[in-house]
Every structure is written in structure tokens, then in C-alpha cells.
């Protein structure tokens, strides 16, 4: 309960800071940059819902607050399971927290600066000249935030692989043998978690496959080092 409350407090503080600066309006303007690049200069996103101008900024602030507090949230999760770990294993928690956060931010940045540009360019090629594309801000933000979550989670593949091997649920060799099946799983996940366009699906599935290979390499190094550390501690404590 304490860890959960601290996580909520961390998100609340992050939301409050972001509300002061840069503010919800600037965050929405930043989110809208990829699609605005493919709209006429005078065109704007529209708000169809009556309460959209109120709820959309709140949703953006909340999501931005979660992202800002992500390292703190990961730390609270680690602190919850830390009592069951060896002291030598706890040394590797900080790298996992740091790399987990960096991978999540990398996934979000990949969406904002690479995926969205290609997706909207792909969609624009299918838009007739007689049609004015003026997306609803609520629908647009929901789509963007969904992509952020999908890519932020998908980029955690190396961390998941390392943890699966470390806790002994599967062996490294089993994960290597599962490589071909994971490619199929990655494309299924991409088809489910992204919009129905081939660009975003490929942009999610291909990095997942590459990160799976990174996870296999990281698991080999991580397990080797932790096993050596734990074994050395046991030998030192033996009479």
C-alpha cells in the first residue's frame, strides 16, 4: 500500500509541475506537430465533443505526468520485490531501472519523431484532394497515447527477457529456441496494438524482434554476472 501511495503521489506531483510549465496547451501543440505537418497551414484540429476541450488537456497532462514519473514508478515496483532478492542481486536493480526507463522513453520518442511522420504521410497518400482531413482532437490524442503505451511497453522486451531468465521461469536456450515463434508473436501484437496501417505495424514488430535479440544477449551477461556475485558471496560466508 505504501508503495502504491508513493507512486500516486509521484504522478500527482509530476502532473502539477507540468500544469504549471509547459502547460496542457503547449503539450497538445507538441503532440499535434506530426499531423499538422501534413495539413494545410491554416487548418486546425477540431473538438467534436462538448467536453473535449476540458477532458483532453486533462488526459494529456495525466499521461505526461506518468511518463515524467516513470523512473520513480519503476523504482517503487522494484522496492516492493527487493526484500526477496539477494543483496548482490540488488546491485543490478539500478541498471534495470535506468535502462527500463530509457527504453520506454526511446519507444515514445520513436513514435513521436519517426512513426507518426510515416503513418500520416501514408494516410495522406490515400486522402482524395476533395476531402479536407480535420481530425477530432479527442480521437487524435487517444490514438497518440495508445501508440505511446504500445511502443513504451514493447520496448521493454529486453528487460522482460532478462527477468524471465533471472527468476528461472525459462532458460536462455529455451528463449533462443522460441526466437522464430516470437517473430510471429511480435507481428500479432503489432497488429492488435497499433492502428490498421502497415507502417505502424512494421514499425512496432521489427524493433520488438531486434530488441528480443538484445534481450538474449543482455540476459546472458546479466545472469553470468549475478551468478558469479551470488556464488562468491556464498563461498565467502561458508566456514
Amino acid at each position: 500500500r505504501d508503495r502504491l501511495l508513493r507512486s500516486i503521489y509521484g504522478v500527482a506531483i509530476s502532473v502539477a509541475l507540468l500544469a504549471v510549465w509547459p502547460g496542457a496547451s503547449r503539450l497538445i501543440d507538441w503532440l499535434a506537430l506530426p499531423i499538422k505537418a501534413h495539413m494545410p497551414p491554416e487548418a486546425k484540429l477540431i473538438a467534436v465533443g462538448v467536453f473535449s476541450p476540458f477532458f483532453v488537456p486533462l488526459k494529456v497532462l495525466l499521461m505526461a505526468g506518468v511518463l515524467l514519473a516513470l523512473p520513480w514508478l519503476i523504482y517503487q515496483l522494484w522496492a516492493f520485490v527487493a526484500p526477496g532478492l539477494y543483496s548482490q542481486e540488488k546491485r543490478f536493480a539500478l541498471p534495470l531501472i535506468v535502462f527500463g526507463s530509457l527504453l520506454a522513453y526511446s519507444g515514445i520518442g520513436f513514435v513521436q519523431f519517426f512513426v507518426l511522420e510515416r503513418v500520416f504521410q501514408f494516410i495522406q497518400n490515400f486522402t482524395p484532394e476533395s476531402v479536407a482531413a480535420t481530425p477530432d482532437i479527442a480521437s487524435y490524442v487517444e490514438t497518440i497515447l495508445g501508440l505511446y503505451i504500445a511502443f513504451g511497453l514493447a520496448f521493454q522486451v529486453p528487460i522482460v527477457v532478462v527477468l524471465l531468465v533471472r527468476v528461472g521461469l525459462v532458460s536462455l536456450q529455451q528463449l533462443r529456441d522460441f526466437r522464430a515463434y516470437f517473430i510471429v508473436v511480435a507481428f500479432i501484437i503489432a497488429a492488435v496494438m497499433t492502428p490498421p496501417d502497415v507502417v505502424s505495424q512494421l514499425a512496432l514488430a521489427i524493433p520488438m524482434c531486434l530488441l528480443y535479440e538484445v534481450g538474449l544477449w543482455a540476459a546472458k551477461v546479466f545472469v553470468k554476472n549475478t551468478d558469479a556475485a551470488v556464488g562468491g558471496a556464498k563461498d565467502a560466508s561458508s566456514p
Side-chain angles (χ1 to χ4, degrees), residues 10-92:
V11 173
I13 293 173
S14 298
V15 170
L17 292 175
L18 291 171
V20 175
W21 188 89
S25 296
R26 289 185 180 179
L27 288 174
I28 293 177
D29 291 340
W30 184 71
L31 287 177
L33 287 176
I35 195 170
K36 289 279 290 181
H38 297 279
M39 296 172 62
E42 69 281 359
K44 296 182 179 180
L45 299 176
I46 62 174
V48 175
V50 176
F51 297 104
S52 293
F54 175 75
F55 285 113
V56 170
L58 289 180
K59 183 183 293 187
V60 171
L61 276 176
L62 179 59
M63 188 63 188
V66 171
L67 294 178
L68 181 62
L70 186 60
W72 174 252
L73 298 178
I74 296 177
Y75 169 76
Q76 294 302 321
L77 178 61
W78 170 82
F80 178 75
V81 301
L85 301 177
Y86 289 107
S87 59
Q88 290 78 13
E89 291 178 322
K90 293 179 182 179
R91 294 187 302 133
F92 296 93

Side-chain angles (χ1 to χ4, degrees), residues 76-135:
Q76 294 302 321
L77 178 61
W78 170 82
F80 178 75
V81 301
L85 301 177
Y86 289 107
S87 59
Q88 290 78 13
E89 291 178 322
K90 293 179 182 179
R91 294 187 302 133
F92 296 93
L94 181 59
L96 288 179
I97 293 172
V98 172
F99 285 116
S101 301
L102 290 177
L103 286 170
Y105 290 140
S106 297
I108 294 169
F110 185 64
V111 171
Q112 183 69 22
F113 299 109
F114 180 82
V115 176
L116 294 180
E117 173 69 20
R118 274 70 184 177
V119 168
F120 294 134
Q121 185 177 7
F122 176 80
I123 294 175
Q124 188 68 25
N125 292 334
F126 289 91
T127 304
E129 294 184 1
S130 58
V131 175
T134 53

Side-chain angles (χ1 to χ4, degrees), residues 165 170-179 212 216 219:
V165 175
V170 294
S171 67
L172 188 57
Q173 186 57 46
Q174 286 176 319
L175 289 176
R176 287 170 177 165
D177 295 338
F178 188 73
R179 181 185 287 114
Y212 187 79
L216 294 177

